[in-house]
Amino acid sequence: MKYNRLLCAGIAVSLLWVSPCPILSNEQNTSYASPAPAKGRAYYEERGDIVWEVPTHRKLIALTFDDGPDVSNTPAILDLLRKYDAKATFFVVGSRVEKLPHLVKREREEGHEIGNHTFLHSSFQHISRNKALSELDQGQASIVQATGAGTHLFRPPGGSYNDSLVKLAKEKGLKIILWSWHQDTLDWRKPGVHRIANKVLRNARNGDIVLMHDFVHHSTQTVEALKIILPELKKRGYSFVTVSELLSNREKPDGLIEVNK
């Protein structure tokens, strides 16, 4: 009985001890993004740290294309955008920009917007601050080299983010742009032309930011879907604008246009 009482007392004491969490003081152990951030979307959205979509009563939509440029899909998309008098935003991967700088130059010359999608499309989940800085800086440098000017827009691969990445983006003068949750076409999965088109058309709302890709290995589904999406939304009265143009049309609850700083 005495042994049992001592054992129970020991267990009770052990339950009261909570081991402290380790502090990540070494930058090599610091994670710069998380697929499930501790703070919710509303926190970052209200502070203007991250943009998912833009409240506006105007029939404006921002088409965005990730992971390019691509030697065949990007020119085809640019041709379609020009045909329908549409502007878009291309979040480019620096290592691909270096191989196809003329396409990124063409994007900018034709009135489209360029965004930084890192240099190697590296995940920010488990990389050091130095590596994260390198990804951003090299991505920016590739855009400057190709077009003569940088960008103030950044989209992290996979849409992953946390406080550390938000802080880093601010330090570099970059605005984090994600996409409307109801406008993720999942075109990288090659789901079929009509599934991609229907995702956009059935969910189209003012101020949407649509996620597509101009580089999907061995697939032209996005190009073919655009042949359906662009004329249909134009028929509905929508205009296709860059992300920055969409941000400049942000409306406050009272209906006034906010000045995008």
Side-chain angles (χ1 to χ4, degrees), residues 48-81:
D49 291 335
I50 304 175
V51 176
W52 280 265
E53 57 215 7
V54 175
T56 178
H57 288 94
R58 299 187 63 188
K59 301 194 79 170
L60 303 174
I61 285 182
L63 301 177
T64 66
F65 300 90
D66 286 10
D67 297 358
D70 176 76
V71 68
S72 57
N73 283 342
T74 303
I77 289 171
L78 289 171
D79 289 344
L80 283 169
L81 293 173

Side-chain angles (χ1 to χ4, degrees), residues 74-90:
T74 303
I77 289 171
L78 289 171
D79 289 344
L80 283 169
L81 293 173
R82 181 167 53 191
K83 178 179 178 180
Y84 291 100
D85 191 28
K87 296 296 181 283
T89 301
F90 292 84

Side-chain angles (χ1 to χ4, degrees), residues 51-62 179-180 182-183 204-210 238-239 241 246-247 249:
V51 176
W52 280 265
E53 57 215 7
V54 175
T56 178
H57 288 94
R58 299 187 63 188
K59 301 194 79 170
L60 303 174
I61 285 182
W179 54 86
S180 304
H182 56 280
Q183 287 291 13
R205 306 174 192 171
N206 299 354
D208 278 354
I209 298 176
V210 180
Y238 283 98
S239 295
V241 297
L246 190 63
L247 288 169
N249 282 275

